Amino acid sequence: MTTTAASDASYRILMREGCRVVYGHMPLPEFLALVRQASDDEVLHAGTARMLGATAVIGLPGALARLRRRETPAAVERVRAQLGRAALRLDPDALRWLAAGEHGPACLALFLLLTGVRPRHYRGTLRDFPRDAGAFRRCRLLIEQVPSLRQALAVLAERVSEPGVAEWAALAQSWDDICAHMDYEAPDWRYGAAGASGTTAVLACFRELEAA
């Protein structure tokens, strides 16, 4: 691990697994200069930054994957400590998803709804319903990576008459059908939801329940 000197003592840049990891407050001009230095193949990865408690992480996809694998155990322990007693309500898969999963407002709302545990970095509400295939993809990854939530999803499907939850309950009832549709449109959905416009159109139908 190497440290790059910074003109502003309020931040530092570490090299980890070939990735540049920024900690602290980096002035915008210097951050933009850092981004311009990156190669065309490097990406700015918000999920890895969240995992590390960093401001930003830039690296090649392979290097980012290595960094995430190496840091996942430590990230899980940080999440466990942040949640305190609430962590006792979650199984290891759920803690791992909180630490290293792919997050977005909709899947974080679904996690809260299914577990009753609010992720520390989530400030949204249950109105963060998946409105497109990309958001549904992240919800689907959550259920795949935390198999125990399958049972909670079935329970959610029974709550269709409950105010504020009806939209999510209807989604839970239609879950397998929507997944099958996405499988047909985007067989490689785990790597992205490009081309799943039909799935987005299906999700739009649930807006009527929200307005009811």
Side-chain angles (χ1 to χ4, degrees):
M1 181 189 302
T2 58
T3 304
T4 300
S7 60
D8 186 334
S10 66
Y11 78 90
R12 59 192 177 126
I13 303 173
L14 304 181
M15 292 298 298
R16 305 182 63 179
E17 297 292 328
C19 302
R20 279 165 286 187
V21 184
V22 180
Y23 291 95
H25 175 69
M26 191 176 197
L28 181 59
E30 295 182 38
F31 177 72
L32 293 176
L34 180 68
V35 171
R36 285 194 293 269
Q37 292 170 14
S39 71
D40 290 344
D41 295 325
E42 290 183 298
V43 295
L44 183 66
H45 202 281
T48 303
R50 171 179 49 78
M51 243 186 97
L52 300 177
T55 304
V57 179
I58 301 174
L60 294 168
L64 288 164
R66 289 194 302 273
L67 180 59
R68 289 173 69 83
R69 284 195 298 271
R70 177 176 175 177
E71 293 298 321
T72 292
V76 169
E77 290 310 309
R78 281 195 294 273
V79 167
R80 194 191 305 275
Q82 290 167 357
L83 290 176
R85 292 182 61 85
L88 299 176
R89 298 160 59 185
L90 303 176
D91 65 21
D93 291 329
L95 289 170
R96 182 182 177 88
W97 182 85
L98 281 177
E102 191 172 336
H103 295 180
C107 60
L108 289 167
L110 181 58
F111 183 90
L112 171 60
L113 185 57
L114 296 181
T115 66
V117 175
R118 177 178 286 276
R120 286 290 299 271
H121 59 290
Y122 178 54
R123 297 292 181 267
T125 70
L126 295 183
R127 294 180 65 84
D128 290 328
F129 189 83
R131 298 300 178 194
D132 56 41
F136 182 73
R137 169 186 166 272
R138 287 185 288 272
C139 290
R140 194 173 175 185
L141 286 172
L142 164 63
I143 300 301
E144 183 176 78
Q145 293 168 12
V146 189
S148 61
L149 295 185
R150 255 294 184 179
Q151 182 177 356
L153 193 67
V155 173
L156 174 61
E158 303 292 327
R159 301 170 61 185
V160 72
S161 62
E162 185 176 327
V165 182
E167 190 178 23
W168 284 101
L171 178 70
Q173 288 182 343
S174 304
W175 188 270
D176 290 339
D177 290 337
I178 300 173
C179 288
H181 192 87
M182 176 179 267
D183 286 341
Y184 175 77
E185 282 193 301
D188 295 329
W189 62 269
R190 289 175 184 81
Y191 306 101
S197 58
T199 302
T200 295
V202 169
L203 291 166
C205 298
F206 290 91
R207 292 175 185 162
E208 297 178 9
L209 280 173
E210 182 183 37

